[in-house]
Amino acid sequence: DQQVKQNSPSLSVQEGRISILNCDYTNSMFDYFLWYKKYPAEGPTFLISISSIKDKNEDGRFTVFLNKSAKHLSLHIVPSQPGDSAVYFCAARRSSGTYKYIFGTGTRLKVLA
Amino acid sequence: EAGVVQSPRYKIIEKKQPVAFWCNPISGHNTLYWYRQNLGQGPELLIRYENEEAVDDSQLPKDRFSAERLKGVDSTLKIQPAELGDSAVYLCASSPGDVETQYFGPGTRLLVL
């Protein structure tokens, strides 16, 4: 049972436009969410996080939105740059119990110059 | 500040052979994680250490996998004997505490023939 889902395996966006990556989760106990970026042959790199007490968190060109009622979060990249081309993973955990992060399957973003 | 270091970066072995992976976490990070990432999937937690104690090894296939973190710093993950299905990227991550953001190493890509 995939508790964290990224239903779009790939996404292509023109440079300068907005990239929107989506993530859905099924466990209502999840209360902390992360986005990671991964380049080929490298480990995932932390990008941005959001706690369930917020519905938005911004860091430069990156904004994460959380819709708890829909169990949905999204990552917005504005403006998109060719260097943003990578695989993006969302991850979720709950603040009690094992603190284990559950990762989605990733979305490959390609930003076209 | 040095990141998480892993070695080797690549390993090719024949099935039924043993293999070991080494991880050196970021200095001062008490929590260490081993993940396995299969092709097209997100990372899946194998084991989590708090200092030298394994606090979550529920996903570790204990019949063939073992791990240790002597002195609460470096860690080794071993597979003996390896099977074809063990081919994957093995990622090590560390964090200052068990609810903090995790920082990943570059991973070890294992191919079992």
Side-chain angles (χ1 to χ4, degrees):
Chain A
D1 177 31
Q2 191 74 22
Q3 295 187 66
V4 178
K5 301 176 184 178
Q6 294 177 256
N7 292 319
S8 298
S10 63
L11 174 68
S12 291
V13 173
Q14 281 297 130
E15 180 179 8
R17 307 295 286 269
I18 183 171
S19 294
I20 300 176
L21 295 96
N22 294 305
C23 180
D24 297 294
Y25 60 96
T26 58
N27 190 336
S28 58
M29 298 295 288
F30 289 150
D31 57 8
Y32 195 73
F33 306 88
L34 305 171
W35 282 95
Y36 281 88
K37 178 170 70 174
K38 185 182 181 305
Y39 293 119
E42 295 184 12
T45 303
F46 170 73
L47 199 55
I48 193 168
S49 64
I50 189 166
S51 164
S52 61
I53 62 173
K54 294 184 174 181
D55 54 17
K56 177 182 174 182
N57 189 26
E58 224 172 323
D59 184 1
R61 297 186 297 112
F62 302 91
T63 303
V64 56
F65 295 92
L66 176 63
N67 183 333
K68 290 187 291 293
S69 61
K71 296 192 186 70
H72 176 83
L73 65 156
S74 60
L75 175 67
H76 292 208
I77 306 174
V78 184
S80 300
Q81 299 174 353
D84 296 330
S85 297
V87 178
Y88 289 79
F89 293 96
C90 66
R93 68 154 171 83
R94 57 187 218 181
S95 296
S96 60
T98 64
Y99 304 104
K100 185 168 69 177
Y101 281 97
I102 305 296
F103 284 79
T105 53
T107 296
R108 183 178 301 278
L109 173 66
K110 187 171 184 179
V111 180
L112 307 169
Chain B
E1 179 183 86
V4 177
V5 179
Q6 290 188 248
S7 70
R9 292 295 309 274
Y10 303 92
K11 189 75 176 178
I12 301 175
I13 61 172
E14 293 188 345
K15 63 180 181 182
K16 301 184 182 179
Q17 294 299 304
V19 65
F21 315 124
W22 176 80
C23 173
N24 180 244
I26 293 172
S27 177
H29 282 195
N30 298 325
T31 308
L32 184 145
Y33 312 78
W34 282 104
Y35 285 87
R36 176 168 61 189
Q37 184 176 14
N38 293 310
L39 191 64
Q41 301 295 315
E44 294 181 342
L45 182 69
L46 291 174
I47 189 168
R48 175 171 67 97
Y49 281 94
E50 293 294 333
N51 298 302
E52 62 272 11
E53 182 183 0
V55 295
D56 184 357
D57 63 356
S58 56
Q59 300 296 104
L60 191 72
K62 298 182 184 61
D63 57 335
R64 298 184 298 108
F65 286 65
S66 63
E68 61 182 12
R69 192 185 183 197
L70 301 177
K71 302 181 182 178
V73 182
D74 294 2
S75 178
T76 303
L77 177 69
K78 297 178 182 177
I79 309 175
Q80 181 170 12
E83 297 180 351
L84 296 176
D86 296 331
S87 295
V89 176
Y90 291 83
L91 294 161
C92 178
S94 69
S95 65
D98 58 7
V99 293
E100 300 288 337
T101 300
Q102 299 172 28
Y103 297 86
F104 284 85
T108 297
R109 185 175 295 275
L110 173 68
L111 180 59
V112 182
L113 302 176

